[in-house]
Amino acid sequence: MDTVIQPNPPSLPLTESHPVHAALFAEIVFDRPLDHAYTYAVPETLREQIAVGKRVRAPFGRGDRSTDGFCVGVTEQMPDREVKSITEVLDEESLLDDPLLRLTRWMADYYLCGWGQVLHAVVPAGVRANAGTKSAVFVEAVPQAELPNPLPTVSPKQKQALDRLRAAGQPLEQSQLGRELGGTGAIAGLVSKGLVRKFTERVERNAATEPHAAAAEPTPQRPELVLSADQQAAWETIHAGLQTSGFHAYLLHGVTGSGKTEIYLRAIEEVIRQGKEAIVLVPEISLTPQTIERFSGPEHSVAVLHSHLTNAERGGHWRRIASGLAQIVVGARSAVFAPTRKLGLIVIDEEHENSFKQESIPRYHGRDVAVMRASLAGIPIILGSATPSLESWHNAAKKSYTLLELPTRVASRPMPTVKLVDLRHEPKTPGKHFAIGPTLEMAMRQTLKDNGQVILLLNRRGYSTHIHCPGCGHVAQCIHCDLALTFHRAKAALLCHYCGWESAPVLQCVQCGQDSVRYQGLGTEKLQVEIEGKFPDRVVQRMDSDTMSKPGSHRRVLDAFREGKIQILLGTQMIAKGLDFPNVTLVGVINADVGLHMPDFRAAERTFQLLAQVAGRAGRGDRNGLVMVQTFTPDHPCIALAAQHDYHSFARLELALRKEHAYPPYQRMARVIVRSENQAAAEAFAETLAGSFQQAVVHSTRRFPAAAPVRVLGPAECPVFKLKGYYRFHFQLQSDNSGLLHTVLREVLLVSKPPHGVEFQVDVDPYSML
């Protein structure tokens, strides 16, 4: 079972042990797809340790398997049945406070998964395992009022140790004091005489959470910038909201280079001045070092939270935040759960980014969870983007968010000129096909001649993106997925980008045996070879997930590019967002059509956003920028309007289409996927679910006669039918009433038990439709 909430089976009683008579009971949730908590008795020995937000260990299930769970409630009310007892409290301090517990409870309800599953995902593994800490023995002098009478005599070495402890005025680590004294024998003697007592406490293994502590060190006071008229108007609105209590959502729509970061910084500084903390969410891990530098200051410290940290580093940052030692938390989507003590502001940079959506349990969207956290806490939230998501734009149109606009770049710099290169009419080079046409190549040579730098975007990694036989038409595919394999020359392997399966390259067709296999299609690896061949005297660097896998690789490449040591930077979408290099005067998009024709209603929106974002990397300095976009569909609205930097017109056209077809943001959507390694079993259960959904729709119509019925599409084969060895069928459910949609889903999912070998999962507000 994947994400579906299951009720407690009647055949599984909660009590199988002997009666326990206790005055205190705990409500425990486990990392299971269950929609309720279990009641356990708290033994007297654990009464002082138990608390809401702590993890416990308790027997669970028929076999009383020892299982870890979270305590979400404590009560003295006696249950009306016999209960089991918890066996251990795992944490010294609560890992989650009441606001985070309320947020995670909402997530479990909205995203239709178990509360325990959410809590397990929210608290990092490094925190759960106490990574980066050690158990240390401390010693302290016994207070005067508790000294033995008469006082025992002490040796000179013992007197030295006792004097040192009293002078310290606080406990000292026994090993440290032992090093000062040349041994711990004197300490042991003082303990036995009742003059010193010792205790054990968990402490940080290292004082700093390296290697990221260096990046988070305070920097000199940043210069006060003069705001433009648009910036000033936006700042005054936000500043007024920061002076009052209550939830405020601001959508800061600013073109690339318009100075959105300066607004963020001023808002954060105001919050810190009020003695509060701020969370800043960024979409790409590669942006984190740059973002930390932007937000570090002489009077506050920054903590980082993202998946590329080691468990020890992440645990250390989490504990710093929980202790109130960090005023600013910066990170990817999971940073929205930072255990701040007094949260005053949340900022989401590039709020439109798809990477804020998690594709595993719980399948939450970081932006939406951040808005809910701000709402529950009664604090402001700023959502910034040059290309806002249509959901946020729609919320601003409804006045749910306050729209603030920065329509021009700072210092009156012009937006870059965008030229569409129609590949249908581009002069063909005799012989070998090249990724960059003559027009783009000429622009690159002129830019480099003028000592400018070039960024090239191609959102496909690898060398050849498909391998086929012209004789019989066979295409090399993954054995586990209905997807073509990609040839990676550096690894000398054919790889599946979804499941990771790989095989050796082939020269002979496995289908017909002909020696005519062709390696075609274009990825960043092949593009790099072409560029290095055309510009042998220039330094070329590639940025994609293949080259940026080592820690610190993003920083090293971007620093070298900033210093001018790299003249041409090419890569996937990780180079398209958030980078600010004043000497970049040319941006080239190798193929703007990549992703445009995917079976996904958000394909045009994603294409527009990517083109607009990468175009914004050009002309951010004193020299004008040029963007060359190679495309076979220059007349498509998302490409044509991106070339004109016209977000308003694109949003108007795309929203009209969404409304016509009843897609988000006008209706809520959920996707249910049934999968199995047995195609027939998956299809049969999908048909069973279809009947259940139709029945539930009829029931809901009777209960909510004034509401439009939930629309159920499917079952149908997923666009990628076989993935990671599983055959997949999906449903699409839509409604303009979120409560009604959830009612239908719960009615079906709570009672639907798939047969052995069949799984199904629910994705509320899905972003992946493949």
Side-chain angles (χ1 to χ4, degrees), residues 4-73:
V4 180
I5 302 174
Q6 289 293 315
N8 186 46
S11 60
L12 293 182
L14 285 172
T15 60
E16 297 165 5
S17 54
H18 296 292
V20 176
H21 302 289
L24 200 62
F25 300 88
E27 298 295 317
I28 310 299
V29 294
F30 297 95
D31 183 18
R32 301 287 192 278
L34 303 164
D35 68 341
H36 61 278
Y38 289 80
T39 302
Y40 283 82
V42 180
E44 283 296 321
T45 54
L46 300 178
R47 186 182 180 94
E48 297 301 319
Q49 300 177 38
I50 192 69
V52 172
K54 289 186 177 182
R55 291 173 304 136
V56 302
R57 189 160 289 155
F60 183 73
R62 280 198 181 96
D64 281 348
R65 183 189 294 260
S66 184
T67 307
D68 295 352
F70 281 87
C71 175
V72 295

Side-chain angles (χ1 to χ4, degrees), residues 181-197:
L181 299 172
T184 59
I187 301 173
L190 290 172
V191 171
S192 65
K193 293 177 180 180
L195 300 176
V196 167
R197 58 191 175 199

Side-chain angles (χ1 to χ4, degrees), residues 507-706:
L507 296 177
Q508 188 177 66
C509 178
V510 298
Q511 194 79 19
C512 68
Q514 292 188 34
D515 296 328
S516 58
V517 173
R518 292 182 182 176
Y519 284 67
Q520 295 186 322
L522 175 68
T524 50
E525 195 177 17
K526 183 185 286 187
L527 177 63
Q528 181 179 9
V529 172
E530 178 179 329
I531 299 302
E532 288 175 339
K534 290 180 178 291
F535 301 91
D537 57 337
R538 302 293 182 170
V539 179
V540 181
Q541 179 64 52
R542 172 164 54 98
M543 283 188 71
D544 54 29
S545 57
D546 295 325
T547 60
M548 297 291 108
S549 58
K550 294 181 179 179
S553 53
H554 293 88
R555 175 184 286 274
R556 286 191 293 272
V557 170
L558 295 179
D559 285 349
F561 192 59
R562 183 177 292 107
E563 294 165 6
K565 297 176 181 177
I566 298 170
Q567 288 81 53
I568 303 174
L569 180 66
L570 64 92
T572 54
Q573 62 178 340
M574 67 173 60
I575 67 170
K577 308 157 187 111
L579 305 181
D580 189 349
F581 299 107
N583 198 41
V584 173
T585 55
L586 175 64
V587 168
V589 178
I590 303 303
N591 185 355
D593 308 322
V594 171
L596 179 58
H597 305 295
M598 300 289 285
D600 188 332
F601 70 92
R602 288 191 175 92
E605 180 183 8
R606 288 173 176 157
T607 299
F608 179 92
Q609 289 167 342
L610 185 60
L611 293 178
Q613 291 288 336
V614 73
R617 302 313 107 206
R620 298 176 75 96
D622 295 331
R623 294 192 287 174
N624 293 342
L626 174 64
V627 182
M628 308 283 286
V629 179
Q630 296 188 150
T631 175
F632 288 99
T633 55
D635 298 324
H636 194 288
C638 77
I639 293 177
L641 292 173
Q644 299 169 28
H645 310 290
D646 190 353
Y647 174 83
H648 288 81
S649 294
F650 170 76
R652 185 171 60 254
L653 288 173
E654 188 66 15
L655 282 172
L657 288 173
R658 298 279 184 91
K659 188 173 185 178
E660 178 184 350
H661 297 288
Y663 277 119
Y666 295 99
Q667 289 204 347
R668 293 298 180 91
M669 178 185 291
R671 187 176 186 226
V672 178
I673 296 178
V674 178
R675 67 174 197 167
S676 174
E677 293 177 332
N678 184 315
Q679 179 179 344
E683 186 172 10
F685 183 65
E687 291 295 339
T688 300
L689 271 187
S692 299
F693 275 125
Q694 293 300 339
Q695 272 192 330
V697 169
V698 172
H699 294 164
S700 67
T701 303
R702 293 171 184 165
R703 292 174 58 190
F704 303 95

Side-chain angles (χ1 to χ4, degrees), residues 250-254 260-261 264 281 283 346-353 356 367 381-389 392 404 613:
Y250 301 100
L251 178 60
L252 184 60
H253 173 220
K260 294 184 292 293
T261 301
Y264 302 157
L281 301 184
I346 300 177
V347 173
I348 309 181
D349 191 29
E350 310 293 1
E351 65 86 29
H352 65 277
E353 265 297 306
F356 284 127
R367 178 196 64 223
I381 181 170
I382 304 173
L383 302 92
S385 177
T387 55
S389 65
S392 294
L404 306 171
Q613 291 288 336

Side-chain angles (χ1 to χ4, degrees), residues 209-265:
T209 52
E210 295 292 351
H212 297 274
E217 290 178 357
T219 57
Q221 185 72 44
R222 68 183 188 89
E224 186 74 14
L225 300 179
V226 177
L227 299 181
S228 67
D230 294 321
Q231 284 178 306
Q232 186 65 38
W235 167 236
E236 288 176 358
T237 301
I238 293 174
H239 184 262
L242 293 172
Q243 306 310 310
T244 60
S245 60
F247 169 70
H248 303 280
Y250 301 100
L251 178 60
L252 184 60
H253 173 220
V255 299
T256 56
S258 60
K260 294 184 292 293
T261 301
E262 180 63 23
I263 303 298
Y264 302 157
L265 290 171

